[in-house]
Amino acid sequence: MIFISCSIIPKPETAQKEILLLEHAQSLKNFRIDGLIELNYKALRFRKNITIRKDENSVKFDIYDTGIMGMSATPFLSVSIDSLMNVVQTGELNLPNINEIKLLNFSDLFDIMKHKREILENGSYISKNYTIKFRDDMKIKSIEFDKYFIRLEYINELKLITLRKKDEKIAMIQIDKISSGDVDLNQ
């Protein structure tokens, strides 16, 4: 007598989700995002150009001040995160307490295949510092921290990222262009 269990042979739906999750994980290894960020700080609202670059080991966010018609872009704020977080601010905006942001293991945050079993079973991954929720197509839908919530919206590919602190919208990034492959964090 032969017994075959569903746990030995993956269900087609689970196998398809695993393929989608692997594709999404590959897209998170190296990427560059160019867009427009709207920052809300106290009663002020700023709109600036933003570039987000990620390679295998680190993430870099650059927010730019631009001159007339987008000419002469100069860095307004740069944040680099690898094993440490480095913030360089050239503008006159006084940032809220940076110590409020917990330093996370960002390599773990982007290495979703480490947790594929939990993700495929539950549609989410829960760690000590954050929870990542996934859509049916296995793309990240949201990342929830203790006080912060990041929501990602897609139209075929990623188009909008919203950062909230409890009920207050802090920032919204409208994405113009995403590219993947080799990424130079200095360009």
Side-chain angles (χ1 to χ4, degrees):
M1 185 179 277
I2 299 175
F3 292 97
I4 298 177
S5 170
C6 291
S7 63
I8 296 172
I9 302 171
K11 297 177 190 175
E13 182 180 310
T14 303
Q16 181 63 30
K17 282 188 171 189
E18 186 172 348
I19 291 168
L20 291 171
L21 184 64
L22 178 61
E23 288 172 359
H24 189 57
Q26 290 295 325
S27 73
L28 294 176
K29 285 190 176 190
N30 297 299
F31 62 82
R32 177 185 170 121
I33 294 174
D34 292 296
L36 185 68
I37 185 167
E38 182 179 294
L39 293 166
N40 297 319
Y41 180 65
K42 296 187 178 178
L44 302 173
R45 180 179 290 169
F46 300 91
R47 285 192 178 101
K48 306 268 184 209
N49 291 330
I50 185 168
T51 299
I52 303 169
R53 294 178 295 276
K54 185 195 174 294
D55 66 12
E56 301 259 345
N57 304 312
S58 57
V59 180
K60 185 173 183 183
F61 302 84
D62 288 314
I63 299 175
Y64 297 97
D65 254 339
T66 56
I68 298 172
M69 300 187 44
M71 308 279 270
S72 306
T74 56
F76 175 74
L77 175 70
S78 290
V79 179
S80 298
I81 303 169
D82 47 26
S83 59
L84 299 171
M85 180 170 20
N86 182 28
V87 178
V88 177
Q89 181 179 348
T90 59
E92 295 183 23
L93 174 67
N94 292 321
L95 292 173
N97 187 359
I98 293 288
N99 295 327
E100 203 174 275
I101 301 171
K102 293 180 182 175
L103 291 181
L104 302 169
N105 182 346
F106 275 86
S107 61
D108 184 50
L109 180 67
F110 286 102
D111 190 6
I112 57 179
M113 290 308 286
K114 275 189 199 176
H115 316 289
K116 78 175 179 182
R117 179 175 295 225
E118 183 177 345
I119 293 167
L120 292 172
E121 288 176 7
N122 304 320
S124 63
Y125 167 67
I126 301 170
S127 84
K128 183 174 84 171
N129 294 321
Y130 56 86
T131 299
I132 304 175
K133 294 183 180 179
F134 291 81
R135 297 167 14 133
D136 290 337
D137 63 0
M138 303 315 295
K139 292 180 180 175
I140 295 174
K141 174 172 51 176
S142 65
I143 305 170
E144 300 172 14
F145 302 93
D146 181 37
K147 295 181 181 180
Y148 296 93
F149 179 82
I150 301 170
R151 185 171 148 207
L152 293 86
E153 295 178 35
Y154 301 80
I155 300 174
N156 294 326
E157 59 182 32
L158 187 59
K159 288 295 177 192
L160 189 66
I161 301 171
T162 306
L163 172 64
R164 300 184 85 80
K165 181 179 178 183
K166 297 188 179 180
D167 292 331
E168 175 189 357
K169 182 166 65 169
I170 297 173
M172 184 174 67
I173 301 172
Q174 295 174 333
I175 298 169
D176 295 327
K177 181 180 174 188
I178 298 178
S179 52
S180 57
D182 291 333
V183 173
D184 183 356
L185 292 183
N186 297 314
Q187 292 185 342

